[in-house]
Structure formats: structure tokens, C-alpha cells
Amino acid sequence: MARRVEVSLGSRSYAVHIGNGLLGEIGTLLAPENIGGRCAIISDSTVAPIYGGSAQKGLRESGIDAEILTVPAGENSKSMAVASDLCERLLALGLDRSAFIVALGGGVIGDLAGFVAAIYYRGIPYVQVPTTVLAQVDSSVGGKTGVNARGGKNLIGAFHQPRLVVADTATLRTLPAREYNEGFAEIIKHGAIRDRALLDVLDSGDLPAIIARNVEIKAEIVAADEHETTGLRALLNFGHTIGHAIENAAGYGRFLHGEAISLGLTAACNLSMRLAGLSRAARDLVVAKLSAFQLPTQLGPEITTSAVMTALRRDKKFAGGEVRFVLVPELGTALLSADVTLRDIEHAVEELRSPAQSVS
Ligand SMILES: NC(=O)c1ccc[n+]([C@@H]2O[C@H](COP(=O)([O-])OP(=O)(O)OC[C@H]3O[C@@H](n4cnc5c(N)ncnc54)[C@H](O)[C@@H]3O)[C@@H](O)[C@H]2O)c1
Ligand SMILES: [Zn+2]
């Protein structure tokens, strides 16, 4: 049975459909949207050969003309140059403001194709068809689109909400194990900040139910703080301050995003124990759940603490020198704290070295 979660944003509201085998039904799901008769499916060189055909067929069956545009798989495609090239290719196809875009792939494609949709003809509609765990539970919902700059990730972009999200959980079966597992770091994050019970159903195997619960959590937060102005949406950064710093210090390719976030979550739980009263048992539960998905919770000597701290200070979140750190006082609740110092963070990074990770 397919599930449906609503993202409530007034006139920009949209539905997220989650289910096994939904890709072929994309045309039917789109029919009530009156979104137009022509689209371009933007995908990458790995995903397009596997799923491009079904998506195209599903759309054509509903009378929607769909061309597939492919970019090389990988984070490097999330660039202004590729976005600009895609715009030129859309123009060459003769697509105008009455057309729409389908983003078929992981978070890279979602961010890139969403950004192209935001700027093409000053903005045309788009549909997210996420094919990674990370994209299904996180990046396809919320309207953050963009590309990377030389100076850093995601520095050029726009808020542009999709008109529809179609998450086919069957597509996750072709993900390599590492890419599948990394998505669970974000799922465990959602459980830690919003829903303790989610942590108990991770091994149920009921992917549509797990993904749907995560989409509900993300949708609720986005609906309450669409443009990250009240601090609520910032709670989604739990584990990300230290996680991003480790990701950057390690250099591209060493850790997948979710792997670095797993380390960041471990450190943030340790800090939450020390500074916000999180229980030892709760912290251990999060670490055990991360480990169950083969995610790292211990940092090796090849990445130094000073390199992590240097990367952290460069983070745009620290622009004013003020640290706003997400802590979890108990599982299911998060808060934004201004009391976490760089010294505390440094200690937490250092603490990731020890196997037992005992918190002093
Ligand atoms: N917009 C947001 O709110 C938001 C949130 C989190 C992350 N992001 C962004 O998401 C990106 C990471 O997304 P990602 O982890 O999905 O990476 P990705 O899009 O690069 O996908 C990972 C790899 O898996 C391949 N792949 C995708 N689906 C597949 C499938 N079903 N079967 C086999 N292979 C498949 C891709 O080709 C790629 O090589 C980053 O750029 C990050 O900045 C955005
Ligand atoms: Zn993340």
C-alpha cells in the first residue's frame, strides 16, 4: 500500500508518495497536478540507465512527453557549470515556461535539477523522484536546491519547493551497501531529535513505513520553519556541525556524508550527555543503532583533531564566531544551545578516538 504525506506550505503545499514500485505510476500520480504536458527527466549516468526508462514510460502513458537529460554521477555535477549546461540543453529541446522537470536520482540530482527548475524561465515546476535513502528521507523534501561553489558546498542556491515527490522504495534495492547504510544516519538523527520510537523499528524491514515516518518528521519541521528563520529547522543539523567538519577535514571521497554524520552524531550525543543531561543508555542506544548499519562511530588517527577544528571554524554556521549547537537532552527532543564552546567541541572530537568512548 502506498503512503502519502502532506507538506503543508499554504499555496506551495505538496504531497509525498511513498511506496514499493511507484515509479511506473508517476504519470498517474501527476495527473491531478495539471503540471503540463512536457518535461525533462534530469538524472545521472548511474541512475538513468536503470530507472530512466520506467520513469519515461510512466509519464508517456499519461500523455506527458519526457526527454531524459543525463549528467555524470557524483558530487562534481553539482556545479554552476553543469546547471548552466542543463539550461542550455532545455532551451535546445524547446522547453519553455509551460514545461516541468523531473529530478530522478539521489540528493545530487535533486539539488541540481531543483536549482535548474528554480532559475529556468525564472522558475518552472519540478517533481522529485528520489532514489537514495538519503534523498527519500531528507533532501527531496523541503525545497532547498543548489550547487557547490569553489568556496564551499551548497553556497549557491534557491528555495524552490517541488510540486510532488514520488519515493519508490523499490529503487533502493540497487543501491550499493555503503550508500544504503549511510542514509540511516539521517534516519537515526530524525529519531534522536523527534521520535524515539523510530529507533526501535529500523530493522523491521518495512521500508515504506520507515521512509514515510521520516518524511513526516521532515515535513513537519519544514512546514513550521520553511526558510530556517525560527531555529526549528536548524535542529535538523544535529550531528552535522562536527560531522561536516570531519567530512571536510577528511577530504572528498574518504567518508560518505552519512558516515561523517554518524561520527558527528556520536560526538553530539557525547556532548548532550555532558551538557544537556542525556542518559548514558540513550547515548549508547544511538551509537548501537549507527553501528548496526556499519556506520563509523570512532575516528582514526589519520584525521587530526586540529584539522577538524580548522574545518569547523571555516563553516558558514560559524561566520559570526558564535556557536549554535544542537543538543538532545532526551531522545525525541532537541534544542539549540549557545553554551557549547569550541573547547567542548574539540574535546568531543578527541573523545571519538577511544574505542569505548567513555564520557568523562
Ligand atoms: N537539499 C537538501 O535539503 C539536502 C539535504 C541533505 C543532503 N543534500 C545533498 O544531497 C547530496 C547527497 O545525496 P546522495 O547521498 O543521495 O548522493 P548521490 O545523489 O550522489 O547518490 C549517491 C550515488 O548513488 C547512485 N545512485 C543513486 N540512486 C541509486 C540507485 N537507486 N541505485 C544505484 N545507484 C544509485 C548515484 O549515481 C551516486 O553515485 C549532497 O550533495 C548533499 O549536499 C541536500
Ligand atoms: Zn545530512
Side-chain angles (χ1 to χ4, degrees), residues 204 289 295 304 328 344:
S204 66
K289 294 293 170 188
L295 291 164
T304 65
V328 161
D344 292 328

Side-chain angles (χ1 to χ4, degrees), residues 134 138 185-186 189 236-238 240 244 247 257-258 261:
L134 179 135
D138 190 352
E186 307 289 357
K189 175 194 79 179
L236 291 167
N237 289 331
F238 185 54
H240 279 60
H244 273 150
E247 193 176 9
H257 173 72
I261 294 314

Side-chain angles (χ1 to χ4, degrees), residues 270-291:
N270 289 344
L271 279 169
S272 295
M273 258 179 84
R274 186 170 317 104
L275 303 172
L278 183 70
S279 74
R280 172 97 215 178
R283 174 264 179 214
D284 287 351
L285 179 75
V286 172
V287 173
K289 294 293 170 188
L290 294 167
S291 305

